[in-house]
Amino acid sequence: GRKGKKNKKGFYRYDGSGKGGKEVDESVYRVLGVEPDKQLDKEVIAERCLLLMLNEAARTLDDDIIRCPRDGDIGAIYGIGFPPFLGGPFRYMDSLGAARVVERLEHYRASLGDRFAPAPLLEKMAGTDASFYEDE
């Protein structure tokens, strides 16, 4: 029955105050069966989100969804707003090194589960010290 503004019941409190910062309706935690008991550092949150995005980018290349890393970089920058100064997900992974990306994914996999399992392509690249833009 939580339809948001429609019935003034959702993830946020709808008290008719209009736009601006909304307060979380804390009763939603019971509905979802979660307990907001820990605070994460903003750098950890950013890293976890970024690693999942990088991992999925590698999967799209491995699954032939995109033709080449450059297509993925351009698509991510113009399509979803990936930070251009990082060069796109593939350029960014090259700057970190595949071994480092895999190491961080495995770090989170150990504590958060298989959604952080590295893409097979990344594991292969980490083992051979390969990069996406080797020809340049």
Side-chain angles (χ1 to χ4, degrees):
R2 293 180 177 264
K3 298 179 181 178
K5 289 182 185 178
K6 190 177 206 175
N7 68 347
K8 299 194 184 303
K9 198 170 187 179
F11 290 102
Y12 301 102
R13 292 185 186 175
Y14 298 96
D15 57 8
S17 63
K19 296 185 180 187
K22 297 180 189 107
E23 286 187 45
V24 173
D25 180 354
E26 294 191 15
S27 68
V28 79
Y29 298 130
R30 283 191 308 280
V31 173
L32 297 173
V34 296
E35 202 52 50
D37 60 350
K38 59 181 177 179
Q39 295 289 324
L40 291 176
D41 186 58
K42 63 184 175 183
E43 283 80 21
V44 171
I45 294 170
E47 181 182 44
R48 285 169 53 175
C49 292
L50 182 60
L51 284 169
L52 289 172
M53 183 185 299
L54 297 177
N55 202 30
E56 288 305 312
R59 288 183 199 281
T60 63
L61 182 62
D62 203 23
D63 292 344
D64 294 323
I65 295 169
I66 57 174
R67 288 180 301 172
C68 63
R70 182 168 285 113
D71 288 350
D73 284 342
I74 291 169
I77 290 169
Y78 288 106
I80 62 171
F82 193 91
F85 64 89
L86 295 178
F90 295 97
R91 286 264 184 219
Y92 186 61
M93 284 189 278
D94 276 358
S95 74
L96 296 173
R100 175 74 176 151
V101 174
V102 168
E103 182 263 320
R104 296 307 298 155
L105 284 165
E106 288 292 356
H107 165 80
Y108 288 114
R109 181 184 191 180
S111 59
L112 300 171
D114 283 339
R115 67 182 169 164
F116 284 93
L121 176 60
L122 284 175
E123 290 180 312
K124 179 180 164 189
M125 290 175 65
T128 61
D129 203 29
S131 63
F132 292 105
Y133 288 97
E134 288 186 53
D135 56 334
E136 295 178 12

